[in-house]
Every structure is written in structure tokens, then in C-alpha cells.
Amino acid sequence: MKSPLDLLDRPAPTAPADHLTLRRGAARVLLDNWTGTSTVPSRTLYPHQWSWDSAFIAIGLRHLSARRAQRELESLLAGQWADGRVPHIVFNPALPHDAYFPSPDFWQSSRAGRTAGAPPSPETSGIVQPPVHALAAWLVHRADPAESRRRGFLARLRPRLAAWHDYLLTRRDLGGGGLAAVVHPWEPGMDNSPCWDRALERVEPTPPGAFRRADLDHGHPADRPTDLDYGRYVRLATDYREAGYDDRGLTHRFAVEDPCFNALLVVSELALAAIARELGTNGEPHTARAARLTRRMVTRLWDEDAGLFRARDLHTDTLVDERGVSGLVPLVVPGLPTDVVRHLCTTLDGPHFDAPATRLVPSYDLTGHAFDPTRYWRGPAWFNTAWLIQRGLRTHGLQEGAARLRDGFLAEAGHSGFAEYVDPSTGAARGTRQFSWTAALTLDLLCADPKEPMP
């Protein structure tokens, strides 16, 4: 593997000087956050390995070192459970337990998750995050197919990725409608979105004095979820742990079909089809499953009057009456009906999500009753969702909109010091700085061929 200095100084394609500076800065973030086996999202706030973070990080790392990008995904999947789930955190055993909460001794994966197939090591969490991993694996392969084939990268990952998708579409089809459900607000990755508020009202919070939040040691309280939200998160995770992480053995007080989560499952099924073809086997079963998932997502989650997808609360079997960025991410699905794409684009450019000061996409409706420009997923603009939406615009041939979003992304990533997220109205950096997926996806937008075919 190349040395860090070699990776940093690797020649870049001809580009404007400011883009070359931005590229070097993004590479520096990834090198500084590399642990030797994986990349932490942040050295301070998030010191372990996170699931969908690592997928986005690998997508960017492929432009520095395809081998290191492969290692990122391999390291994450080493924590996969026998039932197929990919846990949302793989813990670094070298760190003290109080470096992050909930810590390994809270999740107790090797004990509480034994029946569900948790590995004896490494210790992990028991919940999951959005399934973007197969897409990441396919893009990493394409960055250096010869090295990928030499190492048998796809051949080794394919059964793990297939088992991950099978878990989601069997154990997590809690609504019986053929979509994957999430059972904790951390699982869709948009932790404290107002889209979850009504469902969380059913959850009796764990008292604040019963746990200590390590996130407030490194993040400003105005940026982070409230103590009330955190108490509910802890209660849900505790109940799941005490049920042995058995998806069918617990009446989940929070059970939601999320559009972003399922859209990424569609795209990753298409990536699995491409992986199968690369390995000389039939990709049609994955293509067919992606088509079924797309139809089910439109049937169960599309709201034509609102012009976007909505989450479905499985307790009430109704769509959640909130507009979140999760409802726009399905643009990344290539098989959407034309009228759905048209409505999504109208919504994207309309008053609920158009933030001209940054050209990014707020995480929640700008006109919504719960909009907060600084607090985590209740309004700030995130870089990973911008990357997904611009990819979706490209998927549907909407190059002008994709270019505008790309330009806004690169400008704000540079101005903010690769922030975790930004105020959509001012561009002010919020959350932690030197954030890995912001840097990684900056690299991807700077280096990837905009005509790169989708899976």
C-alpha cells in the first residue's frame, strides 16, 4: 500500500487551482482520520467505524488508493452478524469505553446478540444504517478492476452483501409490504429528523441521569439532539438489546419505512446485479428485485400531492406528515416513473428545499414548523444527501441541476473546513469539522468522471 505522502501527492487531473487545493485538503482529512484498518468519521466526536460513513468514505478513497478503499469496506464487513445485518458501529477495542456513548458495554453485542449471530469480536452496536455498501463496493472495483480481481475483492464481498440485503428484506419487512423497516431513529442515519417526532412520542425516555452523553464533550449543544431525544434513543436501544436484537421477538415502539433507506437498497441491488455480471453469474435476480422494490416504494411511500416520498409509520400505517430530505433521495433510483421524477425536481427547486445561499439541500422543510438551521437533521444541509441527490439528477439526465448542486457542494465543503453539515441559509459550518464523508465525497465530485455509468 502506498505511503500517506504518496497518496497525498498523487497527481490529480488537470483542474483549476482552487480545485487542486480543495482536493489536497480533502485527501489530508482522510489520511488524518485513517486508523490503519479503517477511517473514523471524526477523531473527536465519532472515534469508531460507522457503517454508511465507511461506504461513502470508500467511494472517495478510491481516488487515492483503491486498495485502501477496499480495506475500508472489508474492515466494516468483518463485524457483520451471522443473520446478515451490518451493524452501524464497529468499535475500536483500543479506545476506552467512555470515548463514545452508547459504548460497547452498553450494546453488549457479543453477549446479547449471540443468538442473532453477533461475532465474538469485534464488539459492535446492534442496529443498522442505510445499505449503500454494494454501490460503494462496485464503484471501488471500477476504480482499479485489475487490483480488485487480483485480490478477489468482489468475490469475497458479494456473499456478505447479498446476506445483508436478504436480512433487510426478510427480518426487517415488518410492515409486510416488501420494504425494509427501521426500528431506531439512528438507523435511517437522520437521527433527530422531525419526521420521527410523532413516532417517538410513544417512547418513554430513559432519564438523563441514567447515562452520560459523550457527544456533548465535542459538539455544541445547539447542534446536537436534545436530552429528551437522547433519552428516547437510549430506551429504544435498551429494549432491543434486552430482546436479544430479535427483530420479530419484540413489539417495536418505533417502526418506520424510510424512503432514503429503501432507495439505497434499490440502488445497491442494482450494484449487486453488476457485481454478479462481473463475476460471471446471473445478475437478473437482483435487477428484478430492484424493480419490485421500486414499485413497492412508489406504492407505499409516494405522496403526489406533496411532491416527494414520505416515511410510513407502521404503528398507524400512515404516511408521516413532514417533509424531509429523505423524501428527495429516491431520485437516485433509475427506474422511477417519469412523473415522479418531475414532481421531485419541482419540490427540490421549490420553497420547501431551495436554499439559494448555499445551493445545498436542507435536511428538513425550510418552511416547516420544526425547522432549525443548526440542530443536526432538523434543518442543516448535509453533504452526503447532496451527493446522492446530484447523482440522482445525473441518473435521470438532469445535468444542469446536477452541476449546480455539485458546484454548491464543492464551494461549501471548502468554505466550511469539510464540516459535518452547514446552515443552509448562511453556509456557516456546524457540527464537527474535518469530517470524513464530506472530504471523501468532495474527492469523488472532483475526480470522478461525470459520465461514469450508473450500475
Side-chain angles (χ1 to χ4, degrees):
M1 185 179 294
K2 294 179 181 294
S3 73
L5 187 60
D6 289 336
L7 296 178
L8 191 63
D9 290 335
R10 180 176 173 179
T14 301
D18 59 335
H19 281 191
L20 294 176
T21 300
L22 189 59
R23 181 190 184 280
R24 187 177 179 88
R28 181 78 268 169
V29 171
L30 294 182
L31 295 175
D32 288 346
N33 288 346
W34 175 254
T35 68
T37 56
S38 64
T39 309
V40 296
S42 161
R43 285 287 181 181
T44 55
L45 193 54
Y46 308 105
H48 299 284
Q49 185 176 22
W50 263 257
S51 174
W52 74 328
D53 292 72
S54 276
F56 289 124
I57 289 164
I59 289 168
L61 273 177
R62 67 187 174 129
H63 301 292
L64 297 178
S65 165
R67 174 68 181 86
R68 185 169 287 193
Q70 292 173 24
R71 184 73 186 101
E72 184 76 37
L73 295 172
E74 292 164 351
S75 175
L76 176 71
L77 290 171
Q80 186 173 22
W81 293 24
D83 65 3
R85 86 181 73 193
V86 177
H88 97 296
I89 304 174
V90 176
F91 289 105
N92 180 351
L95 294 180
H97 282 186
D98 63 1
Y100 183 80
F101 179 83
S103 57
D105 55 348
F106 172 87
W107 294 103
Q108 303 173 25
S109 64
S110 60
R111 181 194 64 78
R114 187 181 300 119
T115 302
S121 67
E123 291 288 334
T124 73
S125 65
I127 61 174
V128 302
Q129 278 188 326
V132 68
H133 311 87
L135 172 63
W138 176 244
L139 294 177
V140 167
H141 164 77
R142 288 183 56 82
D144 191 342
E147 172 69 1
S148 174
R149 292 170 188 142
R150 184 189 69 79
R151 296 191 65 251
F153 172 66
L154 292 181
R156 286 183 290 107
L157 260 63
R158 182 192 174 196
R160 289 182 173 271
L161 295 169
W164 167 219
H165 291 191
D166 288 345
Y167 164 78
L168 293 173
L169 290 171
T170 54
R171 303 296 299 176
R172 286 301 190 89
D173 181 12
L174 302 180
L179 297 179
V182 294
V183 299
H184 194 289
W186 288 335
E187 292 199 320
M190 302 178 187
D191 304 20
N192 67 329
S193 169
C195 296
W196 320 139
D197 287 356
R198 184 65 60 84
L200 284 172
E201 289 176 359
R202 295 190 291 264
V203 179
E204 180 66 28
T206 299
F211 59 92
R212 179 185 176 277
R213 293 179 59 177
D215 62 316
L216 298 181
D217 293 341
H218 306 288
H220 194 285
D223 292 356
R224 305 294 299 164
T226 65
D227 283 345
L228 177 60
D229 286 334
Y230 235 84
R232 286 169 168 154
Y233 305 155
V234 171
R235 174 69 67 192
L236 288 169
T238 301
D239 290 349
Y240 197 28
R241 181 193 69 203
E242 295 309 306
Y245 299 111
D246 182 353
D247 295 301
R248 299 297 177 87
L250 175 68
T251 300
H252 296 281
R253 283 181 279 184
F254 181 95
V256 173
E257 291 172 350
D258 174 63
C260 173
F261 196 101
N262 282 281
L264 292 177
L265 183 55
V266 172
V267 173
S268 278
E269 274 294 309
L270 294 173
L272 269 182
I275 290 169
R277 292 191 295 269
E278 164 65 24
L279 295 173
T281 59
N282 183 14
E284 179 55 31
H286 295 294
T287 303
R289 187 148 76 171
R292 288 196 299 273
L293 279 166
T294 301
R295 291 193 297 271
R296 290 165 178 167
M297 192 170 64
V298 172
T299 299
R300 290 182 63 78
L301 306 183
W302 173 244
D303 184 338
E304 185 168 352
D305 292 337
L308 82 170
F309 289 85
R310 294 193 190 269
R312 178 173 290 273
D313 185 336
L314 294 179
H315 274 264
T316 61
D317 197 27
T318 58
L319 296 181
V320 175
D321 189 20
E322 299 284 3
R323 292 179 172 89
V325 70
S326 177
L328 298 174
V329 171
L331 270 170
V332 78
V333 173
L336 287 181
T338 302
D339 62 325
V340 170
V341 173
R342 185 179 69 253
H343 281 302
L344 284 170
C345 291
T346 299
T347 302
L348 181 63
D349 294 334
H352 301 291
F353 290 99
D354 183 26
T358 61
R359 290 176 288 175
L360 295 179
V361 185
S363 51
Y364 175 71
D365 181 357
L366 289 165
T367 70
H369 68 100
F371 176 77
D372 185 331
T374 68
R375 195 177 293 279
Y376 218 42
W377 287 96
R378 301 183 77 83
W382 288 71
F383 291 92
N384 65 325
T385 51
W387 183 87
L388 289 167
I389 291 169
Q390 69 81 34
R391 188 174 179 87
L393 292 169
R394 282 176 44 210
T395 295
H396 297 286
L398 302 168
Q399 302 300 339
E400 183 177 344
R404 184 168 60 251
L405 189 49
R406 174 185 181 273
D407 291 345
F409 181 117
L410 295 177
E412 299 307 325
H415 294 158
S416 68
F418 304 102
E420 189 177 3
Y421 46 89
V422 299
D423 183 320
S425 302
T426 67
R430 309 302 302 190
T432 191
R433 312 301 192 268
Q434 311 300 305
F435 194 65
S436 288
W437 81 26
T438 304
L441 298 176
T442 296
L443 274 178
D444 189 64
L445 291 182
L446 288 171
C447 299
D449 181 354
K451 298 179 181 179
E452 179 182 59
M454 306 297 171

